[in-house]
């Protein structure tokens, strides 16, 4: 039933269906650059596109894992009120602990949960 399907999509229980039908998420390449005062600036650019014919909001959880599949870090994207076909760019993983930066450079990034509402 439609109410149940929408609840699953809003709660993250239908991540594969949300990614297939409702939102396109393009993960860029993790960047770490030396900034001012010896601080390393980090980011993973992400482009989120509403694939539906209606204005929707999306919550997307992205995980960084090491070569053995262990979680190094996670971050979230909140794309609010994207109109039909609209895209928005985000930078996630902007605050990475200095001892994790080298591991993050070689991490695998994947979407672990996506919700639409």
């Amino acid at each position: 039933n439609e109410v149940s399907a929408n609840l699953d999509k809003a709660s993250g229980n239908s991540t594969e269906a949300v990614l297939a039908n409702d939102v396109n998420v393009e993960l860029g390449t993790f960047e770490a650059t030396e900034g001012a005062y010896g601080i390393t600036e980090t980011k993973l650019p992400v482009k989120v596109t509403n694939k539906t014919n209606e204005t929707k909001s999306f919550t997307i959880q992205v995980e960084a894992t090491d070569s053995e599949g262990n979680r190094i870090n996670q971050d979230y994207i909140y794309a609010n009120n994207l109109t039909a076909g609209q895209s928005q760019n985000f930078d996630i993983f902007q605050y990475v602990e200095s001892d994790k930066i080298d591991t993050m450079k070689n991490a695998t990034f994947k979407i672990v949960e996506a919700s639409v509402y």
Side-chain angles (χ1 to χ4, degrees):
N1 100 26
E2 187 177 342
V3 172
S4 178
N6 287 338
L7 283 174
D8 284 344
K9 285 183 171 187
S11 66
N13 291 333
S14 294
T15 294
E16 289 180 23
V18 169
L19 293 172
N21 303 314
D22 302 305
V23 66
N24 185 53
V25 182
E26 297 174 43
L27 301 176
T29 302
F30 182 75
E31 302 171 26
T33 53
E34 289 298 322
Y37 311 107
I39 297 172
T40 301
E41 298 175 5
T42 60
K43 69 178 179 179
L44 177 74
V46 180
K47 182 178 180 182
V48 177
T49 304
N50 179 356
K51 292 169 39 173
T52 74
N53 295 322
E54 303 172 44
T55 297
K56 297 285 185 180
S57 294
F58 304 94
T59 301
I60 300 149
Q61 178 185 358
V62 179
E63 177 178 80
T65 59
D66 65 17
S67 59
E68 291 155 19
N70 300 310
R71 178 183 290 167
I72 304 164
N73 211 336
Q74 66 180 352
D75 207 346
Y76 294 85
I77 300 163
Y78 304 99
N80 295 314
N81 299 319
L82 290 182
T83 59
Q86 185 179 28
S87 297
Q88 186 174 357
N89 294 313
F90 298 88
D91 289 331
I92 58 173
F93 296 109
Q94 290 186 291
Y95 305 102
V96 175
E97 297 161 8
S98 58
D99 62 334
K100 291 184 178 180
I101 291 174
D102 285 339
T103 311
M104 290 285 289
K105 289 178 183 177
N106 298 310
T108 299
F109 296 91
K110 64 181 178 179
I111 299 161
V112 291
E113 190 172 287
S115 305
V116 58
Y117 43 94

